[in-house]
Amino acid sequence: MRDYLRLTRLPLYNFAFVIPLLLLYQASVLLVNFGQRRGVINGADALLHNTLSMVGVRGWVGSWLFIAAVVGVVVFRLDTASRKGPFQWRLFALMLAESTVYALVFGTLVATMTRLVMPGGGLLQVGGGLNLAQNLVAGLGAGLYEELVFRLLLAGGMLWGLKKAKMKDVPAVVTTVLVSSLIFSLYHYVGPYGEPLRMGSFMFRFVAGIVLAGLFAGRGFAVAAWTHSLYDVFLMLAGGGRG
């Protein structure tokens, strides 16, 4: 078990384990949007690609190649440990099982924590104007792109900046988690498919951001991304909203 927990936090395994999630999301996007005038993608996906287009990286394929190249270089430079032994593909099944368990208990945990600070809170609504298939696509993309944008890039970059500014570790971590979770929650209420702002769902997502930040720190990007995506899919299939 100790080797499993250590290996699955290594950059190479995190990078490799999110590739199937990326392919599943992109295949779903193409299938659901086929023949539609106006395609639907996850909002964080659009935000990331629009940002890249501002620096000259245009088009979906170009964005994927750019991100893959950057991540590949980072993984190669940081993860010398994974290159010393054979890649253990069997760990993927265990990581998927672990993420599924987390996804199944995630909603109950977050709702319970939310009600501790806001009695009567902890409810979500379905994103307005989307059918079930479109919501499922948005949910699949949420795990990958929202964890990439709000946990890996935003929280990671903020923590790095605060430490560079000589802030002590505990205040830096607390500030990073709270601010990134606040922005993560607010993000769901902007744009053409944003939901009406309600304090109950806002607080639920704020607490969810804190829990996901803890999962990201403890188990890594891939498990957090799969947990987030699977939770959203389970929620949609059960008739709930998008997390």
Side-chain angles (χ1 to χ4, degrees), residues 45-133:
D45 178 6
L47 175 64
L48 182 62
H49 286 91
N50 288 339
T51 301
L52 288 175
S53 69
M54 294 172 62
V55 295
V57 181
R58 302 183 183 280
W60 301 106
V61 175
S63 298
W64 298 338
L65 291 176
F66 177 81
I67 294 171
V70 172
V71 173
V73 171
V74 171
V75 168
F76 182 82
R77 294 190 62 181
L78 295 182
D79 198 3
T80 56
S82 296
R83 302 201 301 270
K84 293 180 180 179
F87 192 87
Q88 300 186 41
W89 294 98
R90 63 181 179 83
L91 296 182
F92 277 18
L94 296 175
M95 294 173 75
L96 181 59
E98 180 186 3
S99 301
T100 302
V101 171
Y102 293 155
L104 290 172
V105 302
F106 180 81
T108 301
L109 173 63
V110 173
T112 301
M113 294 174 63
T114 302
R115 292 189 183 105
L116 290 176
V117 296
M118 183 183 175
L123 297 176
L124 295 179
Q125 289 77 38
V126 176
L130 300 182
N131 59 37
L132 176 60

Side-chain angles (χ1 to χ4, degrees), residues 188-238:
H188 289 84
Y189 304 96
V190 299
Y193 295 111
E195 300 174 17
L197 179 58
R198 294 184 174 90
M199 187 54 65
S201 60
F202 169 82
M203 185 59 67
F204 181 96
R205 289 191 169 103
F206 176 70
V207 174
I210 294 174
V211 174
L212 287 167
L215 186 60
F216 171 77
R219 291 298 297 123
F221 171 67
V223 170
W226 272 97
T227 298
H228 190 160
S229 284
L230 289 173
Y231 165 72
D232 275 14
V233 169
F234 294 160
L235 189 64
M236 288 297 170
L237 293 178

